[in-house]
Amino acid sequence: MKKNLIDFPRSKFWLVNCKKCKQNQIIFNKASTVVKCLNCGAELAVPTGGKVELKDSKLVRELS
Ligand SMILES: [Zn+2]
């Protein structure tokens, strides 16, 4: 059986690219708080109750 990094089903880490400063950052797709860019402070993703919604960022790829 494949061992996941974390225990929750369907939880993933996403590599996203900040639209403002073009820096890549890894975020948790079930974060419960706003995820901010560590470089410029833009709001990369906002929580929606389940998954986060990307705001000032775009998804580069999912990390398994
Ligand atoms: Zn940024």
Side-chain angles (χ1 to χ4, degrees):
M1 200 169 158
K2 194 179 166 193
K3 192 172 187 300
N4 289 324
L5 206 66
I6 39 182
D7 291 334
F8 310 111
R10 295 200 302 271
S11 298
K12 284 191 172 142
F13 288 95
W14 287 348
L15 181 67
V16 300
N17 186 259
C18 178
K19 284 181 182 173
K20 296 196 172 171
C21 70
K22 309 297 179 193
Q23 279 239 119
N24 284 344
Q25 186 168 321
I26 293 169
I27 67 167
F28 183 47
N29 79 341
K30 286 198 169 179
S32 54
T33 56
V34 173
V35 183
K36 290 192 173 177
C37 177
L38 296 174
N39 188 52
C40 73
E43 293 187 352
L44 300 181
V46 293
T48 58
K51 278 186 184 175
V52 295
E53 190 170 295
L54 295 179
K55 198 176 166 190
D56 289 331
S57 65
K58 63 177 188 201
L59 182 65
V60 178
R61 65 187 173 92
E62 285 188 340
L63 306 174
S64 55

